[in-house]
Amino acid sequence: MTMRTTQQFSITLPLEMAEMVERKIQSGAYASVSEVMRDGIRALMERDAAVERWLKEEVVTGHMAHVAEPETGVPADQVLARLKARRTA
């Protein structure tokens, strides 16, 4: 007995997305709807992994540094002022 390595889905897309899928196939970039969907899911997985890395490497690390030395933190109003100044520059 062999185990399946794929799962079939039936999906409904908004017309704009469906047309994009069709254009990808017509352009020759993809051979089928399944290929387009697989590539999209891979991109989503890569994005999720990047967010996870960022959270672990920067957000958690920054939080832990702040917990260890809270006096090094920057008040939120100062951060907001810096962001506004950058945007107007």
Side-chain angles (χ1 to χ4, degrees):
M1 186 166 114
T2 60
M3 306 253 329
R4 279 187 77 159
T5 60
T6 61
Q7 171 68 47
Q8 187 172 358
F9 286 92
S10 172
I11 63 168
T12 302
L13 297 173
L15 280 178
E16 183 178 310
M17 287 182 175
E19 289 167 357
M20 181 181 177
V21 170
E22 288 300 324
R23 284 193 305 270
K24 293 289 185 182
I25 295 166
Q26 290 171 0
S27 75
Y30 296 90
S32 67
V33 171
S34 291
E35 280 189 13
V36 177
M37 293 297 114
R38 283 191 294 268
D39 201 33
I41 297 297
R42 277 192 292 273
L44 181 59
M45 291 167 67
E46 289 171 9
R47 186 194 70 187
D48 288 351
V51 169
E52 282 295 318
R53 278 192 306 277
W54 172 74
L55 286 169
K56 288 177 184 175
E57 295 170 6
E58 295 187 35
V59 175
V60 172
T61 301
H63 174 71
M64 297 306 288
H66 175 70
V67 168
E69 297 181 57
E71 66 278 0
T72 62
V74 178
D77 59 337
Q78 288 181 21
V79 172
L80 185 57
R82 288 181 195 170
L83 291 172
K84 286 180 180 178
R86 277 190 202 167
R87 198 172 5 173
T88 58

